Amino acid sequence: MEEGLQRCFVLHRRPYSESSLILDVFSEEYGRLSIISKGARSKRSNLKGVLQAFTPLLMKWSGKGSMRTLRQAETISLGIPLTGINLYSAMYINELLVRVVEQETPYPALFLDYLTALTELAQSTNPEPALRRFELALLSAMGYGVDFLHCAGSGEMVSPEMTYRYREQQGFMAFIRHDPLMSFKGNELIAISERRFTTPEQLKAAKRFTRIALKPYLGGKPLKSRELFLPRTRSILK
């Protein structure tokens, strides 16, 4: 079975045999796929500069099962310009998708969230807001539904000045004592719900929540992208 041209990004690639590549691809209509590109590493291949991460692509493939075969690939535009800490942040997003998203499950909205995150990273000096927004979009796409605006105990709207403790599978409960790992101010929860982060405290709270929520999906295996960071940049993703 051969599909028409699809909008895609390469998330990860690795050598296969003497001249081929195995690609982890995130497509708009088909989700994440494994695709073999035969001969892509040969000197005569016209795909050597095409199958790069963070480059918008049109791709066509054929086959069934866990491994498809690439038939055509062309760039839609130049690669999204990412350098330094923003490049490392984009690599982290790619690894999240590879680790968390099931193969052959369509996530068209998440594909657009991914494109938005890369664009924001290319234009920003601080990658954290883009990272937090994408992590929250990923959790939403995976069905991790959390009500940030209502107290799980009383059902009342959260108060900006009150403290709430997060309880897995329940939500946020009004809490008197401060727990540095599991408690959140009401204004922080409102900011998370709106994906709007105007203070360092709101960003830290969003990071704390996404770490809690992503842990069951990632298990105990560390993310390789974090190991690439210099000590001064690791704090953004840890």
PDB file of all heavy atoms in Angstrom, residues 8-12 50-57 77-83 86-95 114-115 118 121:
ATOM      1  N   CYS A   8       5.562  15.821   7.144  1.00  0.00           N
ATOM      2  CA  CYS A   8       6.297  15.031   8.141  1.00  0.00           C
ATOM      3  C   CYS A   8       7.501  15.791   8.678  1.00  0.00           C
ATOM      4  O   CYS A   8       7.972  16.772   8.083  1.00  0.00           O
ATOM      5  CB  CYS A   8       6.824  13.729   7.519  1.00  0.00           C
ATOM      6  SG  CYS A   8       5.580  12.632   6.830  1.00  0.00           S
ATOM      7  N   PHE A   9       7.999  15.291   9.816  1.00  0.00           N
ATOM      8  CA  PHE A   9       9.301  15.661  10.348  1.00  0.00           C
ATOM      9  C   PHE A   9      10.041  14.382  10.721  1.00  0.00           C
ATOM     10  O   PHE A   9       9.431  13.420  11.199  1.00  0.00           O
ATOM     11  CB  PHE A   9       9.171  16.527  11.604  1.00  0.00           C
ATOM     12  CG  PHE A   9       8.852  17.962  11.335  1.00  0.00           C
ATOM     13  CD1 PHE A   9       7.539  18.400  11.290  1.00  0.00           C
ATOM     14  CD2 PHE A   9       9.866  18.894  11.147  1.00  0.00           C
ATOM     15  CE1 PHE A   9       7.237  19.722  11.055  1.00  0.00           C
ATOM     16  CE2 PHE A   9       9.580  20.217  10.909  1.00  0.00           C
ATOM     17  CZ  PHE A   9       8.258  20.644  10.860  1.00  0.00           C
ATOM     18  N   VAL A  10      11.338  14.373  10.507  1.00  0.00           N
ATOM     19  CA  VAL A  10      12.181  13.282  10.994  1.00  0.00           C
ATOM     20  C   VAL A  10      12.523  13.560  12.451  1.00  0.00           C
ATOM     21  O   VAL A  10      13.078  14.606  12.778  1.00  0.00           O
ATOM     22  CB  VAL A  10      13.476  13.156  10.162  1.00  0.00           C
ATOM     23  CG1 VAL A  10      14.418  12.136  10.793  1.00  0.00           C
ATOM     24  CG2 VAL A  10      13.144  12.751   8.727  1.00  0.00           C
ATOM     25  N   LEU A  11      12.168  12.628  13.329  1.00  0.00           N
ATOM     26  CA  LEU A  11      12.476  12.768  14.755  1.00  0.00           C
ATOM     27  C   LEU A  11      13.847  12.207  15.098  1.00  0.00           C
ATOM     28  O   LEU A  11      14.566  12.747  15.935  1.00  0.00           O
ATOM     29  CB  LEU A  11      11.415  12.044  15.592  1.00  0.00           C
ATOM     30  CG  LEU A  11       9.972  12.519  15.448  1.00  0.00           C
ATOM     31  CD1 LEU A  11       9.051  11.636  16.276  1.00  0.00           C
ATOM     32  CD2 LEU A  11       9.829  13.981  15.867  1.00  0.00           C
ATOM     33  N   HIS A  12      14.200  11.097  14.448  1.00  0.00           N
ATOM     34  CA  HIS A  12      15.461  10.416  14.748  1.00  0.00           C
ATOM     35  C   HIS A  12      15.832   9.555  13.544  1.00  0.00           C
ATOM     36  O   HIS A  12      14.957   9.085  12.817  1.00  0.00           O
ATOM     37  CB  HIS A  12      15.303   9.544  15.993  1.00  0.00           C
ATOM     38  CG  HIS A  12      16.549   8.842  16.420  1.00  0.00           C
ATOM     39  ND1 HIS A  12      16.801   7.515  16.108  1.00  0.00           N
ATOM     40  CD2 HIS A  12      17.629   9.280  17.102  1.00  0.00           C
ATOM     41  CE1 HIS A  12      17.970   7.173  16.600  1.00  0.00           C
ATOM     42  NE2 HIS A  12      18.505   8.209  17.198  1.00  0.00           N
ATOM     43  N   VAL A  50      18.392  15.947   2.740  1.00  0.00           N
ATOM     44  CA  VAL A  50      16.955  16.167   2.891  1.00  0.00           C
ATOM     45  C   VAL A  50      16.416  15.602   4.206  1.00  0.00           C
ATOM     46  O   VAL A  50      15.638  16.262   4.921  1.00  0.00           O
ATOM     47  CB  VAL A  50      16.191  15.545   1.700  1.00  0.00           C
ATOM     48  CG1 VAL A  50      14.678  15.613   1.927  1.00  0.00           C
ATOM     49  CG2 VAL A  50      16.571  16.260   0.413  1.00  0.00           C
ATOM     50  N   LEU A  51      16.817  14.393   4.553  1.00  0.00           N
ATOM     51  CA  LEU A  51      16.227  13.685   5.693  1.00  0.00           C
ATOM     52  C   LEU A  51      16.885  14.122   7.004  1.00  0.00           C
ATOM     53  O   LEU A  51      17.544  13.356   7.692  1.00  0.00           O
ATOM     54  CB  LEU A  51      16.376  12.179   5.492  1.00  0.00           C
ATOM     55  CG  LEU A  51      15.730  11.637   4.216  1.00  0.00           C
ATOM     56  CD1 LEU A  51      16.042  10.157   4.048  1.00  0.00           C
ATOM     57  CD2 LEU A  51      14.224  11.878   4.231  1.00  0.00           C
ATOM     58  N   GLN A  52      16.655  15.386   7.339  1.00  0.00           N
ATOM     59  CA  GLN A  52      17.243  15.983   8.531  1.00  0.00           C
ATOM     60  C   GLN A  52      16.150  16.349   9.527  1.00  0.00           C
ATOM     61  O   GLN A  52      15.022  16.684   9.149  1.00  0.00           O
ATOM     62  CB  GLN A  52      18.036  17.247   8.160  1.00  0.00           C
ATOM     63  CG  GLN A  52      19.116  17.024   7.117  1.00  0.00           C
ATOM     64  CD  GLN A  52      20.256  16.170   7.633  1.00  0.00           C
ATOM     65  OE1 GLN A  52      20.560  16.174   8.828  1.00  0.00           O
ATOM     66  NE2 GLN A  52      20.900  15.436   6.736  1.00  0.00           N
ATOM     67  N   ALA A  53      16.505  16.300  10.812  1.00  0.00           N
ATOM     68  CA  ALA A  53      15.568  16.730  11.850  1.00  0.00           C
ATOM     69  C   ALA A  53      15.273  18.225  11.701  1.00  0.00           C
ATOM     70  O   ALA A  53      16.109  18.991  11.221  1.00  0.00           O
ATOM     71  CB  ALA A  53      16.153  16.453  13.231  1.00  0.00           C
ATOM     72  N   PHE A  54      14.057  18.609  12.081  1.00  0.00           N
ATOM     73  CA  PHE A  54      13.607  19.998  12.136  1.00  0.00           C
ATOM     74  C   PHE A  54      13.465  20.632  10.750  1.00  0.00           C
ATOM     75  O   PHE A  54      13.431  21.854  10.626  1.00  0.00           O
ATOM     76  CB  PHE A  54      14.529  20.850  13.028  1.00  0.00           C
ATOM     77  CG  PHE A  54      14.913  20.167  14.305  1.00  0.00           C
ATOM     78  CD1 PHE A  54      16.245  19.967  14.638  1.00  0.00           C
ATOM     79  CD2 PHE A  54      13.931  19.675  15.165  1.00  0.00           C
ATOM     80  CE1 PHE A  54      16.597  19.317  15.807  1.00  0.00           C
ATOM     81  CE2 PHE A  54      14.276  19.028  16.341  1.00  0.00           C
ATOM     82  CZ  PHE A  54      15.615  18.843  16.660  1.00  0.00           C
ATOM     83  N   THR A  55      13.370  19.796   9.723  1.00  0.00           N
ATOM     84  CA  THR A  55      13.127  20.261   8.357  1.00  0.00           C
ATOM     85  C   THR A  55      11.745  19.810   7.929  1.00  0.00           C
ATOM     86  O   THR A  55      11.469  18.607   7.898  1.00  0.00           O
ATOM     87  CB  THR A  55      14.177  19.701   7.383  1.00  0.00           C
ATOM     88  OG1 THR A  55      15.473  20.161   7.763  1.00  0.00           O
ATOM     89  CG2 THR A  55      13.883  20.145   5.958  1.00  0.00           C
ATOM     90  N   PRO A  56      10.840  20.726   7.588  1.00  0.00           N
ATOM     91  CA  PRO A  56       9.500  20.319   7.121  1.00  0.00           C
ATOM     92  C   PRO A  56       9.604  19.567   5.803  1.00  0.00           C
ATOM     93  O   PRO A  56      10.220  20.046   4.848  1.00  0.00           O
ATOM     94  CB  PRO A  56       8.767  21.657   6.945  1.00  0.00           C
ATOM     95  CG  PRO A  56       9.553  22.649   7.744  1.00  0.00           C
ATOM     96  CD  PRO A  56      10.980  22.190   7.681  1.00  0.00           C
ATOM     97  N   LEU A  57       8.997  18.385   5.759  1.00  0.00           N
ATOM     98  CA  LEU A  57       9.126  17.509   4.597  1.00  0.00           C
ATOM     99  C   LEU A  57       7.770  17.067   4.069  1.00  0.00           C
ATOM    100  O   LEU A  57       6.778  17.018   4.810  1.00  0.00           O
ATOM    101  CB  LEU A  57       9.925  16.244   4.973  1.00  0.00           C
ATOM    102  CG  LEU A  57      11.350  16.423   5.481  1.00  0.00           C
ATOM    103  CD1 LEU A  57      11.883  15.082   5.983  1.00  0.00           C
ATOM    104  CD2 LEU A  57      12.237  16.973   4.385  1.00  0.00           C
ATOM    105  N   SER A  77      10.319  23.547   3.044  1.00  0.00           N
ATOM    106  CA  SER A  77      11.038  24.806   3.248  1.00  0.00           C
ATOM    107  C   SER A  77      12.389  24.477   3.847  1.00  0.00           C
ATOM    108  O   SER A  77      12.703  23.308   4.110  1.00  0.00           O
ATOM    109  CB  SER A  77      10.247  25.729   4.185  1.00  0.00           C
ATOM    110  OG  SER A  77      10.135  25.145   5.472  1.00  0.00           O
ATOM    111  N   LEU A  78      13.179  25.482   4.089  1.00  0.00           N
ATOM    112  CA  LEU A  78      14.452  25.280   4.759  1.00  0.00           C
ATOM    113  C   LEU A  78      14.220  24.769   6.173  1.00  0.00           C
ATOM    114  O   LEU A  78      13.149  24.976   6.762  1.00  0.00           O
ATOM    115  CB  LEU A  78      15.238  26.592   4.803  1.00  0.00           C
ATOM    116  CG  LEU A  78      15.688  27.165   3.452  1.00  0.00           C
ATOM    117  CD1 LEU A  78      16.352  28.517   3.651  1.00  0.00           C
ATOM    118  CD2 LEU A  78      16.623  26.202   2.740  1.00  0.00           C
ATOM    119  N   GLY A  79      15.234  24.120   6.728  1.00  0.00           N
ATOM    120  CA  GLY A  79      15.133  23.653   8.098  1.00  0.00           C
ATOM    121  C   GLY A  79      14.917  24.801   9.075  1.00  0.00           C
ATOM    122  O   GLY A  79      15.402  25.917   8.847  1.00  0.00           O
ATOM    123  N   ILE A  80      14.174  24.537  10.126  1.00  0.00           N
ATOM    124  CA  ILE A  80      13.923  25.569  11.144  1.00  0.00           C
ATOM    125  C   ILE A  80      15.232  25.873  11.853  1.00  0.00           C
ATOM    126  O   ILE A  80      15.882  24.965  12.370  1.00  0.00           O
ATOM    127  CB  ILE A  80      12.842  25.085  12.124  1.00  0.00           C
ATOM    128  CG1 ILE A  80      11.522  24.883  11.372  1.00  0.00           C
ATOM    129  CG2 ILE A  80      12.650  26.078  13.273  1.00  0.00           C
ATOM    130  CD1 ILE A  80      10.429  24.232  12.179  1.00  0.00           C
ATOM    131  N   PRO A  81      15.660  27.136  11.893  1.00  0.00           N
ATOM    132  CA  PRO A  81      16.983  27.474  12.443  1.00  0.00           C
ATOM    133  C   PRO A  81      17.017  27.362  13.965  1.00  0.00           C
ATOM    134  O   PRO A  81      16.381  28.148  14.675  1.00  0.00           O
ATOM    135  CB  PRO A  81      17.200  28.923  11.988  1.00  0.00           C
ATOM    136  CG  PRO A  81      15.809  29.474  11.816  1.00  0.00           C
ATOM    137  CD  PRO A  81      14.963  28.322  11.368  1.00  0.00           C
ATOM    138  N   LEU A  82      17.751  26.404  14.462  1.00  0.00           N
ATOM    139  CA  LEU A  82      17.854  26.157  15.899  1.00  0.00           C
ATOM    140  C   LEU A  82      19.323  26.011  16.268  1.00  0.00           C
ATOM    141  O   LEU A  82      20.055  25.255  15.621  1.00  0.00           O
ATOM    142  CB  LEU A  82      17.097  24.877  16.281  1.00  0.00           C
ATOM    143  CG  LEU A  82      15.584  24.908  16.061  1.00  0.00           C
ATOM    144  CD1 LEU A  82      15.028  23.497  16.007  1.00  0.00           C
ATOM    145  CD2 LEU A  82      14.905  25.699  17.174  1.00  0.00           C
ATOM    146  N   THR A  83      19.738  26.710  17.281  1.00  0.00           N
ATOM    147  CA  THR A  83      21.127  26.634  17.729  1.00  0.00           C
ATOM    148  C   THR A  83      21.173  26.619  19.249  1.00  0.00           C
ATOM    149  O   THR A  83      20.208  26.994  19.929  1.00  0.00           O
ATOM    150  CB  THR A  83      21.949  27.831  17.217  1.00  0.00           C
ATOM    151  OG1 THR A  83      21.348  29.055  17.699  1.00  0.00           O
ATOM    152  CG2 THR A  83      22.007  27.860  15.709  1.00  0.00           C
ATOM    153  N   ASN A  86      18.392  26.193  22.349  1.00  0.00           N
ATOM    154  CA  ASN A  86      17.125  25.937  21.658  1.00  0.00           C
ATOM    155  C   ASN A  86      17.200  24.673  20.814  1.00  0.00           C
ATOM    156  O   ASN A  86      16.210  23.956  20.668  1.00  0.00           O
ATOM    157  CB  ASN A  86      16.753  27.140  20.798  1.00  0.00           C
ATOM    158  CG  ASN A  86      16.369  28.346  21.642  1.00  0.00           C
ATOM    159  OD1 ASN A  86      16.047  28.197  22.823  1.00  0.00           O
ATOM    160  ND2 ASN A  86      16.418  29.519  21.062  1.00  0.00           N
ATOM    161  N   LEU A  87      18.359  24.374  20.259  1.00  0.00           N
ATOM    162  CA  LEU A  87      18.547  23.117  19.535  1.00  0.00           C
ATOM    163  C   LEU A  87      18.438  21.936  20.486  1.00  0.00           C
ATOM    164  O   LEU A  87      17.761  20.937  20.188  1.00  0.00           O
ATOM    165  CB  LEU A  87      19.904  23.117  18.845  1.00  0.00           C
ATOM    166  CG  LEU A  87      20.308  21.805  18.159  1.00  0.00           C
ATOM    167  CD1 LEU A  87      19.309  21.412  17.081  1.00  0.00           C
ATOM    168  CD2 LEU A  87      21.713  21.910  17.585  1.00  0.00           C
ATOM    169  N   TYR A  88      19.088  22.015  21.649  1.00  0.00           N
ATOM    170  CA  TYR A  88      18.994  20.935  22.630  1.00  0.00           C
ATOM    171  C   TYR A  88      17.544  20.745  23.088  1.00  0.00           C
ATOM    172  O   TYR A  88      17.091  19.625  23.301  1.00  0.00           O
ATOM    173  CB  TYR A  88      19.874  21.242  23.836  1.00  0.00           C
ATOM    174  CG  TYR A  88      21.355  21.231  23.534  1.00  0.00           C
ATOM    175  CD1 TYR A  88      22.184  22.231  24.024  1.00  0.00           C
ATOM    176  CD2 TYR A  88      21.927  20.217  22.767  1.00  0.00           C
ATOM    177  CE1 TYR A  88      23.546  22.235  23.754  1.00  0.00           C
ATOM    178  CE2 TYR A  88      23.285  20.216  22.494  1.00  0.00           C
ATOM    179  CZ  TYR A  88      24.092  21.218  22.987  1.00  0.00           C
ATOM    180  OH  TYR A  88      25.429  21.212  22.714  1.00  0.00           O
ATOM    181  N   SER A  89      16.825  21.853  23.233  1.00  0.00           N
ATOM    182  CA  SER A  89      15.428  21.773  23.654  1.00  0.00           C
ATOM    183  C   SER A  89      14.579  21.075  22.605  1.00  0.00           C
ATOM    184  O   SER A  89      13.700  20.273  22.930  1.00  0.00           O
ATOM    185  CB  SER A  89      14.883  23.184  23.922  1.00  0.00           C
ATOM    186  OG  SER A  89      15.604  23.820  24.961  1.00  0.00           O
ATOM    187  N   ALA A  90      14.836  21.362  21.328  1.00  0.00           N
ATOM    188  CA  ALA A  90      14.106  20.699  20.250  1.00  0.00           C
ATOM    189  C   ALA A  90      14.435  19.209  20.197  1.00  0.00           C
ATOM    190  O   ALA A  90      13.559  18.374  19.927  1.00  0.00           O
ATOM    191  CB  ALA A  90      14.430  21.370  18.914  1.00  0.00           C
ATOM    192  N   MET A  91      15.685  18.857  20.478  1.00  0.00           N
ATOM    193  CA  MET A  91      16.066  17.444  20.530  1.00  0.00           C
ATOM    194  C   MET A  91      15.325  16.735  21.662  1.00  0.00           C
ATOM    195  O   MET A  91      14.921  15.574  21.526  1.00  0.00           O
ATOM    196  CB  MET A  91      17.580  17.333  20.724  1.00  0.00           C
ATOM    197  CG  MET A  91      18.369  17.795  19.514  1.00  0.00           C
ATOM    198  SD  MET A  91      20.137  17.993  19.857  1.00  0.00           S
ATOM    199  CE  MET A  91      20.602  16.303  20.207  1.00  0.00           C
ATOM    200  N   TYR A  92      15.144  17.431  22.768  1.00  0.00           N
ATOM    201  CA  TYR A  92      14.381  16.882  23.892  1.00  0.00           C
ATOM    202  C   TYR A  92      12.936  16.612  23.473  1.00  0.00           C
ATOM    203  O   TYR A  92      12.368  15.546  23.775  1.00  0.00           O
ATOM    204  CB  TYR A  92      14.439  17.864  25.051  1.00  0.00           C
ATOM    205  CG  TYR A  92      13.390  17.662  26.113  1.00  0.00           C
ATOM    206  CD1 TYR A  92      13.484  16.618  27.025  1.00  0.00           C
ATOM    207  CD2 TYR A  92      12.306  18.535  26.222  1.00  0.00           C
ATOM    208  CE1 TYR A  92      12.518  16.438  28.014  1.00  0.00           C
ATOM    209  CE2 TYR A  92      11.350  18.367  27.199  1.00  0.00           C
ATOM    210  CZ  TYR A  92      11.455  17.319  28.088  1.00  0.00           C
ATOM    211  OH  TYR A  92      10.499  17.149  29.047  1.00  0.00           O
ATOM    212  N   ILE A  93      12.323  17.555  22.757  1.00  0.00           N
ATOM    213  CA  ILE A  93      10.953  17.363  22.279  1.00  0.00           C
ATOM    214  C   ILE A  93      10.868  16.150  21.350  1.00  0.00           C
ATOM    215  O   ILE A  93       9.940  15.339  21.447  1.00  0.00           O
ATOM    216  CB  ILE A  93      10.459  18.639  21.566  1.00  0.00           C
ATOM    217  CG1 ILE A  93      10.179  19.746  22.594  1.00  0.00           C
ATOM    218  CG2 ILE A  93       9.207  18.361  20.747  1.00  0.00           C
ATOM    219  CD1 ILE A  93       9.764  21.062  21.984  1.00  0.00           C
ATOM    220  N   ASN A  94      11.846  16.012  20.447  1.00  0.00           N
ATOM    221  CA  ASN A  94      11.856  14.847  19.556  1.00  0.00           C
ATOM    222  C   ASN A  94      11.925  13.547  20.340  1.00  0.00           C
ATOM    223  O   ASN A  94      11.225  12.573  20.027  1.00  0.00           O
ATOM    224  CB  ASN A  94      13.048  14.935  18.595  1.00  0.00           C
ATOM    225  CG  ASN A  94      12.768  15.820  17.395  1.00  0.00           C
ATOM    226  OD1 ASN A  94      11.752  16.525  17.355  1.00  0.00           O
ATOM    227  ND2 ASN A  94      13.654  15.800  16.435  1.00  0.00           N
ATOM    228  N   GLU A  95      12.789  13.516  21.365  1.00  0.00           N
ATOM    229  CA  GLU A  95      12.917  12.283  22.142  1.00  0.00           C
ATOM    230  C   GLU A  95      11.634  11.988  22.916  1.00  0.00           C
ATOM    231  O   GLU A  95      11.238  10.825  23.056  1.00  0.00           O
ATOM    232  CB  GLU A  95      14.106  12.358  23.089  1.00  0.00           C
ATOM    233  CG  GLU A  95      14.388  11.022  23.759  1.00  0.00           C
ATOM    234  CD  GLU A  95      15.660  10.991  24.578  1.00  0.00           C
ATOM    235  OE1 GLU A  95      16.301  12.045  24.732  1.00  0.00           O
ATOM    236  OE2 GLU A  95      15.998   9.903  25.077  1.00  0.00           O
ATOM    237  N   TYR A 114       3.615  20.630  17.626  1.00  0.00           N
ATOM    238  CA  TYR A 114       5.047  20.391  17.446  1.00  0.00           C
ATOM    239  C   TYR A 114       5.657  21.464  16.549  1.00  0.00           C
ATOM    240  O   TYR A 114       6.704  22.045  16.871  1.00  0.00           O
ATOM    241  CB  TYR A 114       5.246  19.010  16.842  1.00  0.00           C
ATOM    242  CG  TYR A 114       6.673  18.675  16.470  1.00  0.00           C
ATOM    243  CD1 TYR A 114       7.608  18.348  17.444  1.00  0.00           C
ATOM    244  CD2 TYR A 114       7.081  18.671  15.146  1.00  0.00           C
ATOM    245  CE1 TYR A 114       8.922  18.026  17.101  1.00  0.00           C
ATOM    246  CE2 TYR A 114       8.383  18.346  14.796  1.00  0.00           C
ATOM    247  CZ  TYR A 114       9.292  18.032  15.778  1.00  0.00           C
ATOM    248  OH  TYR A 114      10.587  17.737  15.435  1.00  0.00           O
ATOM    249  N   LEU A 115       4.997  21.747  15.447  1.00  0.00           N
ATOM    250  CA  LEU A 115       5.482  22.782  14.540  1.00  0.00           C
ATOM    251  C   LEU A 115       5.515  24.143  15.237  1.00  0.00           C
ATOM    252  O   LEU A 115       6.477  24.912  15.085  1.00  0.00           O
ATOM    253  CB  LEU A 115       4.587  22.845  13.305  1.00  0.00           C
ATOM    254  CG  LEU A 115       4.924  23.906  12.253  1.00  0.00           C
ATOM    255  CD1 LEU A 115       6.351  23.770  11.762  1.00  0.00           C
ATOM    256  CD2 LEU A 115       3.938  23.826  11.090  1.00  0.00           C
ATOM    257  N   LEU A 118       8.565  24.257  17.649  1.00  0.00           N
ATOM    258  CA  LEU A 118       9.829  24.479  16.949  1.00  0.00           C
ATOM    259  C   LEU A 118       9.955  25.930  16.501  1.00  0.00           C
ATOM    260  O   LEU A 118      11.032  26.534  16.600  1.00  0.00           O
ATOM    261  CB  LEU A 118       9.935  23.558  15.741  1.00  0.00           C
ATOM    262  CG  LEU A 118      10.011  22.051  16.005  1.00  0.00           C
ATOM    263  CD1 LEU A 118      10.251  21.303  14.693  1.00  0.00           C
ATOM    264  CD2 LEU A 118      11.099  21.699  17.012  1.00  0.00           C
ATOM    265  N   LEU A 121      10.736  28.073  19.511  1.00  0.00           N
ATOM    266  CA  LEU A 121      12.118  27.878  19.932  1.00  0.00           C
ATOM    267  C   LEU A 121      13.080  28.649  19.027  1.00  0.00           C
ATOM    268  O   LEU A 121      14.084  29.198  19.489  1.00  0.00           O
ATOM    269  CB  LEU A 121      12.469  26.395  19.927  1.00  0.00           C
ATOM    270  CG  LEU A 121      11.867  25.555  21.053  1.00  0.00           C
ATOM    271  CD1 LEU A 121      12.164  24.073  20.824  1.00  0.00           C
ATOM    272  CD2 LEU A 121      12.403  25.992  22.417  1.00  0.00           C
TER     273      LEU A 121
END
